[in-house]
Amino acid sequence: ANDFDTSLCTSTSSFSLQGGSAETRKIWAAERYSNFVVFAINPDSQDTGEQWVYMSETTLAMSDNVYAGIAVTSARSDNLAEATFVNYEIEQNIYPSASPSLSLAPTMIVPSRDVGNYGLAGSSSMTGDGRYVLKGTGRDISYRDDGFHAMFENLENGNFSISTYVNSFDFVHGEAKAGVMSRFFLCNKSPNVFMGLTGTNGFQMIWRKCMDCNAEHSEVDPNVRYTQGWVKLEKLEDEYSGYWKHNEGDEWNLVETVTIESSEPDIYTGLVVSSKKQDQLATAVFSDFSVEEASPSPTSSPVTTMTPPDL
């Protein structure tokens, strides 16, 4: 079964650019110093419409002069492939007087999905200045039945730290939630750990230790409305620790450390939002999204920063 299209608690998820045809598929790329970011669009797709879809990003060491253009390969030495391109454009930025950026890039959708018990379909996008905007419904992230919208990356089940800044949270219920999550399966009853903001009950860490178990939680400043703040989830072996802080320069505050044992080789990790209303969307805006390698030592080396997931 393909977990991206079903609610099974087995298999793995995948993402591909749906809809459109080979004749209408377009590609847009931006080069920022030696970082290359590639997007694509299917203008006749009902799912993506006229929005750019994030595909991938890589860093290459380049010489002063490079070749840039369009290309085609047949992947066979004895057969020709043919491609027809239209509306081909290329712009050059001269360094360092005109440092390029993605600020002029269009708002684009990024791979994301609804999980569990939800009503209206959610969505996610990345703005030109690198913020992620998630909209979603969902029953809740609690008890034995979750429902939310997620922008997940499938990671190796090792040690890592994921953090983000919640720029704003437009909630429709006091128990609506927005933050970071690690989850073993893409179904409503999966073991998981969440760290984030609620609508009117401050910061909350929520975890479910086994399949179909009741979720537990620990909260900070209940009955207080925070629509901004930093949240972090750190995993070391089978231990998960949730942290929060108000300002970037503040020290991280530990909420709880819990143990969840699992032999699963992979784990889904990323940004989530749940409105706790099936007929109304909650909207959360995130920035400074970062996934880092974690170790018992105080130092950690980054492996993913401000990069949408490749589902």
Side-chain angles (χ1 to χ4, degrees):
N2 185 344
D3 206 298
F4 191 78
D5 299 318
T6 69
S7 59
L8 297 178
C9 282
T10 57
S11 179
T12 58
S13 179
S14 62
F15 176 83
S16 61
L17 190 61
Q18 302 291 333
S21 62
E23 288 74 25
T24 59
R25 197 160 292 158
K26 298 182 182 179
I27 297 175
W28 178 88
E31 193 271 341
R32 178 179 54 190
Y33 297 101
S34 57
N35 295 324
F36 290 81
V37 187
V38 180
F39 309 93
I41 186 173
N42 280 331
D44 58 346
S45 167
Q46 294 181 355
D47 294 331
T48 61
E50 291 287 344
Q51 298 189 81
W52 291 103
V53 180
Y54 176 90
M55 300 300 289
S56 64
E57 178 174 346
T58 189
T59 300
L60 298 174
M62 305 293 287
S63 61
D64 292 338
N65 298 308
V66 298
Y67 295 96
I70 52 181
V72 64
T73 178
S74 69
R76 297 195 52 171
S77 59
D78 56 346
N79 280 328
L80 292 171
E82 181 177 312
T84 302
F85 301 91
V86 295
N87 298 324
Y88 171 61
E89 297 179 4
I90 185 169
E91 296 180 4
Q92 185 177 16
N93 293 283
I94 306 301
Y95 301 92
S97 60
S99 300
S101 71
L102 294 180
S103 61
L104 298 179
T107 296
M108 67 211 79
I109 63 173
V110 291
S112 64
R113 61 165 295 154
D114 293 298
V115 176
N117 190 345
Y118 66 94
L120 299 176
S123 65
S124 63
S125 61
M126 185 171 70
T127 63
D129 59 0
R131 291 174 298 161
Y132 300 100
V133 182
L134 267 66
K135 299 182 178 182
T137 57
R139 194 202 69 80
D140 201 355
I141 302 172
S142 66
Y143 300 105
R144 298 167 64 179
D145 184 15
D146 297 336
F148 55 91
H149 191 78
M151 191 185 82
F152 276 150
E153 181 173 2
N154 192 217
L155 301 178
E156 180 182 349
N157 188 12
N159 298 332
F160 59 82
S161 173
I162 178 171
S163 62
T164 192
Y165 178 65
V166 184
N167 289 82
S168 64
F169 186 25
D170 184 11
F171 57 90
V172 295
H173 189 283
E175 288 298 322
K177 297 174 178 67
V180 294
M181 175 185 284
S182 290
R183 190 177 192 89
F184 288 106
F185 304 108
L186 299 178
C187 64
N188 59 327
K189 300 179 182 297
S190 171
N192 74 90
V193 184
F194 165 86
M195 182 65 218
L197 288 175
T198 64
T200 57
N201 285 294
F203 295 92
Q204 239 180 42
M205 180 178 174
I206 303 167
W207 61 93
R208 182 181 296 115
K209 290 190 173 183
C210 62
M211 187 71 71
D212 203 22
C213 293
N214 267 319
E216 304 172 67
H217 76 276
S218 182
E219 57 191 15
V220 177
D221 295 335
N223 302 316
V224 176
R225 176 186 174 186
Y226 293 132
T227 57
Q228 293 179 313
W230 291 83
V231 292
K232 180 173 74 169
L233 187 61
E234 186 176 75
K235 178 181 183 294
L236 294 173
E237 302 299 334
D238 293 328
E239 291 191 342
Y240 298 79
S241 300
Y243 299 86
W244 67 275
K245 61 182 179 179
H246 289 300
N247 303 303
E248 184 175 8
D250 296 344
E251 294 291 328
W252 286 105
N253 301 289
L254 175 66
V255 179
E256 192 85 31
T257 297
V258 298
T259 300
I260 302 179
E261 297 180 355
S262 175
S263 59
E264 291 295 324
D266 303 312
I267 188 168
Y268 296 94
T269 301
L271 305 173
V272 300
V273 62
S274 177
S275 71
K276 200 175 169 64
K277 280 182 172 285
Q278 303 291 46
D279 59 347
Q280 290 183 262
L281 293 163
T283 302
V285 179
F286 302 93
S287 65
D288 296 280
F289 171 50
S290 175
V291 182
E292 297 180 334
E293 239 177 61
S295 65
S297 66
T299 60
S300 59
S301 56
V303 296
T304 305
T305 303
M306 293 297 294
T307 302
D310 181 16
L311 290 182

